[in-house]
């Protein structure tokens, strides 16, 4: 047992000392940070966030929220526009009861055009009411709007925060499984190809080494995930202390209260168990290669499973689930992509979630026995036989 932990810790330390690991961990975080900073400073450096408008006082009085705009004379606006102190300005005129807007702009902006088209209609409507001589009561009647309410089933509700967590989950699993499965297969292939493994087995049994490699890489993934969790916690604390979410009308306390801890716990167990079964498979596949160059070929079937599960999960994320999703949510290796979706939608009960977890754990135990035997039979086998034949040979005791 001591040698098992020695191998596991050694595998973990080797990754911690690797610059490639830290680059892999921090590159997404650095990219997000740089993007956020660029967006922040770009918004800060805008000369004037308010839209420049040229209009008479009579037109200004017809606007619902005139404080949203910056009003200036036509001469000053043209001068600022020519000097490139402003990117655009609106000239709003009224002639015989008809509102005309001249939009002076340097580059086309469809979003702004749509916005100011609505502004023109708003001013025109108010002008029509004024010119028609309608009473306040008539004006109130004309301003009535329909009421549209969304009534969500309390039992089948799908809080937006759970959907955000789901999409974060499937991207995380895709990224981690692809990356670390390849890494483990390559690591074992290098050890085998360099004949280093023969010296290692002089002091430790193959079964112990196999288990230690799996657990060591599992610890590396947990370390990687912990770094992301800490980063997310720091971002959460900053968001909570700032008023950014309030500006968008998002109540953070309400979002957090909508998280179902039972479902979240089951999803968490699915993640850990799925990572473990992929590490088992990767370690087994790594033992089948003859040389380092064959690692990519051996890894291909496992990569195809991950890619298939990822894209099917993305396809059904915003669609009604069918029998296919229900079946896939119980299959080891890919249940982590589908059972969380069903749990979030409440189309699967917590009992069904436990069944999926139980099937996955049973698969881990059975696969470990099979993979360990395959590893022992093939890790010192340098023959050029097919992978299928090596697997077949490994089944024999």
């Amino acid at each position: 047992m001591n040698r098992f932990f020695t191998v596991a810790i050694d595998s973990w330390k080797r990754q911690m000392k690797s610059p490639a690991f830290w680059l892999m961990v921090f590159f997404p975080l650095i990219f997000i940070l740089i993007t956020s900073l660029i967006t922040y400073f770009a918004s800060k450096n805008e000369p004037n966030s308010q839209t420049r408008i040229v209009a008479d006082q009579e037109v200004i009085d017809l606007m619902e929220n005139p404080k949203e705009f910056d009003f200036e004379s036509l001469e000053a606006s043209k001068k600022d526009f020519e000097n490139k102190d402003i990117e655009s300005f609106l000239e709003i005129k009224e002639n015989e009861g008809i509102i005309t807007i001249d939009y002076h702009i340097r580059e086309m902006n469809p979003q702004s055009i749509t916005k100011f088209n609505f502004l023109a209609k708003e001013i025109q409507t108010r002008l029509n009411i004024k010119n028609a001589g309608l009473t306040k009561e008539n004006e109130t009647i004309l301003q009535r709007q329909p009421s549209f309410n969304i009534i969500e089933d309390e039992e089948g509700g799908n809080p937006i925060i759970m959907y955000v967590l789901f999409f974060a989950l499937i991207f995380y699993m895709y990224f981690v499984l692809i990356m670390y499965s390849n890494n483990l297969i390559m690591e074992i292939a290098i050890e085998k190809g360099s004949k280093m493994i023969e010296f290692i087995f002089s002091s430790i049994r193959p079964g112990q080494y196999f288990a230690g490699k799996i657990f060591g890489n599992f610890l590396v993934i947990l370390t990687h995930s912990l770094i992301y969790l800490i980063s997310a916690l720091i971002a959460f604390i900053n968001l909570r202390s700032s008023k950014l979410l309030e500006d968008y009308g998002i109540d953070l306390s309400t979002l957090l209260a909508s998280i179902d801890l039972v479902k979240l716990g089951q999803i968490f167990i699915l993640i850990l168990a799925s990572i473990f079964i992929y590490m088992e498979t990767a370690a087994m596949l790594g033992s089948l290669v003859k040389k380092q160059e064959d690692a990519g070929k051996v890894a291909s079937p496992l990569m195809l499973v991950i890619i298939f599960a990822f894209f099917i999960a993305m396809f059904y994320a915003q669609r009604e689930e069918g029998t296919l999703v229900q079946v896939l949510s119980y299959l080891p290796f890919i249940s982590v992509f589908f059972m969380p979706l069903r749990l979030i939608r409440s189309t699967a009960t917590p009992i069904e979630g436990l069944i999926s977890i139980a099937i996955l754990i049973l698969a881990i135990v059975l696969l470990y026995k099979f993979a360990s035997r395959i590893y022992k039979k093939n890790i010192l086998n340098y023959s050029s036989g097919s992978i299928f034949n090596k697997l077949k040979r490994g089944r024999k005791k």
Side-chain angles (χ1 to χ4, degrees):
M1 186 60 70
N2 288 337
R3 291 178 179 177
F4 160 78
F5 283 113
T6 300
V7 173
I9 297 301
D10 182 67
S11 297
W12 178 79
K13 285 182 177 179
R14 193 181 303 121
Q15 291 279 7
M16 294 302 104
K17 293 177 181 178
S18 169
F21 170 79
W22 294 107
L23 179 64
M24 185 170 55
V25 170
F26 286 111
F27 180 78
L29 298 178
I30 293 172
F31 177 78
I32 293 172
L33 178 62
I34 291 175
T35 304
S36 302
L37 288 174
I38 290 174
T39 304
Y40 174 78
F41 285 113
S43 62
K44 285 289 184 181
N45 291 332
E46 289 181 357
N48 192 348
S49 60
Q50 287 186 312
T51 302
R52 174 73 64 85
I53 287 183
V54 177
D56 294 332
Q57 188 59 47
E58 291 78 7
V59 173
I60 297 174
D61 292 338
L62 295 171
M63 294 181 182
E64 185 175 0
N65 296 307
K67 292 182 179 180
E68 294 181 0
F69 307 103
D70 175 30
F71 297 97
E72 190 56 84
S73 66
L74 180 60
E75 292 76 13
S77 297
K78 284 183 176 180
K79 182 179 179 181
D80 291 340
F81 186 71
E82 290 172 359
N83 294 335
K84 297 185 178 181
D85 293 330
I86 58 175
E87 292 298 316
S88 63
F89 72 93
L90 295 175
E91 184 182 359
I92 306 179
K93 297 172 286 187
E94 184 268 327
N95 184 24
E96 297 182 355
I98 298 176
I99 294 294
T100 302
I101 290 185
D102 294 334
Y103 187 20
H104 301 262
I105 188 169
R106 216 175 302 281
E107 295 181 4
M108 292 296 292
N109 188 333
Q111 186 177 1
S112 296
I113 291 172
T114 302
K115 174 184 176 181
F116 298 137
N117 189 30
F118 278 112
L119 176 64
K121 291 179 180 179
E122 173 194 312
I123 297 173
Q124 185 67 63
T125 299
R126 291 178 179 274
L127 181 62
N128 292 344
I129 291 172
K130 178 182 177 182
N131 291 340
L134 299 178
T135 63
K136 285 290 183 182
E137 183 179 352
N138 297 136
E139 183 177 345
T140 302
I141 293 173
L142 289 174
Q143 290 177 348
R144 289 176 181 172
Q145 299 292 329
S147 177
F148 182 81
N149 301 313
I150 299 175
I151 302 175
E152 192 173 45
D153 184 3
E154 292 182 0
E155 295 184 357
N158 307 313
I160 187 65
I161 186 66
M162 294 297 286
Y163 268 119
V164 171
L165 290 175
F166 169 72
F167 281 109
L169 160 68
I170 59 174
F171 278 104
Y172 165 81
M173 291 302 293
Y174 178 79
F175 171 71
V176 164
L177 294 178
I178 288 280
M179 182 171 53
Y180 283 103
S181 296
N182 268 315
N183 282 357
L184 183 53
I185 292 173
M186 182 62 70
E187 185 180 341
I188 293 176
I190 291 172
E191 290 177 349
K192 183 177 179 179
S194 64
K195 306 294 179 71
M196 185 195 314
I197 200 73
E198 297 177 8
F199 295 99
I200 293 173
F201 286 165
S202 63
S203 59
I204 186 174
R205 294 197 303 272
Q208 280 185 317
Y209 190 76
F210 174 73
K213 292 295 282 187
I214 293 171
F215 190 67
N217 279 268
F218 183 72
L219 290 178
V220 173
I221 296 175
L222 290 184
T223 304
H224 190 159
S225 304
L226 184 61
I227 293 171
Y228 282 172
L229 284 175
I230 293 173
S231 301
L233 182 61
I234 293 172
F236 168 77
I237 293 172
N238 289 333
L239 280 174
R240 196 165 191 176
S241 60
S242 68
K243 295 184 178 180
L244 181 63
L245 294 178
E246 294 179 8
D247 294 339
Y248 288 95
I250 299 175
D251 188 345
L252 194 58
S253 300
T254 303
L255 283 178
L256 293 177
S258 66
I259 296 177
D260 190 318
L261 295 180
V262 174
K263 293 177 181 178
L264 196 62
Q266 290 187 339
I267 292 171
F268 181 70
I269 295 172
L270 279 169
I271 292 172
L272 293 181
S274 296
I275 290 173
F276 204 87
I277 200 171
Y278 273 95
M279 292 302 100
E280 284 182 347
T281 309
M284 178 190 69
L285 292 175
S287 70
L288 300 177
V289 303
K290 180 183 177 182
K291 51 187 177 179
Q292 180 181 341
E293 290 76 12
D294 297 333
K297 298 176 184 177
V298 173
S300 296
L302 196 60
M303 300 303 106
L304 288 175
V305 170
I306 299 170
I307 293 169
F308 164 80
F310 173 77
F311 282 104
I312 295 296
M314 288 293 292
F315 178 80
Y316 279 102
Q318 297 296 333
R319 291 173 174 82
E320 290 293 327
E321 66 183 55
T323 305
L324 177 63
V325 173
Q326 294 174 6
V327 172
L328 294 178
S329 66
Y330 292 103
L331 294 183
F333 289 97
I334 58 178
S335 58
V336 70
F337 289 94
F338 298 98
M339 182 52 75
L341 178 62
R342 296 189 63 210
L343 289 171
I344 289 169
R345 288 178 169 175
S346 298
T347 55
T349 64
I351 298 297
E352 290 176 299
L354 289 175
I355 292 172
S356 180
I357 292 171
I359 293 173
L360 182 53
I361 292 174
L362 178 61
I364 289 173
V365 174
L366 296 177
L367 179 64
Y368 178 78
K369 293 181 179 180
F370 174 74
S372 178
R373 192 159 61 243
I374 296 290
Y375 181 87
K376 293 174 186 177
K377 291 281 185 179
N378 291 283
I379 191 62
L380 297 177
N381 178 14
Y382 299 97
S383 65
S384 56
S386 69
I387 294 174
F388 178 76
N389 288 333
K390 290 181 180 180
L391 285 171
K392 191 176 180 181
R393 189 187 309 117
R395 292 175 59 188
K396 299 176 182 178
K397 294 185 180 180

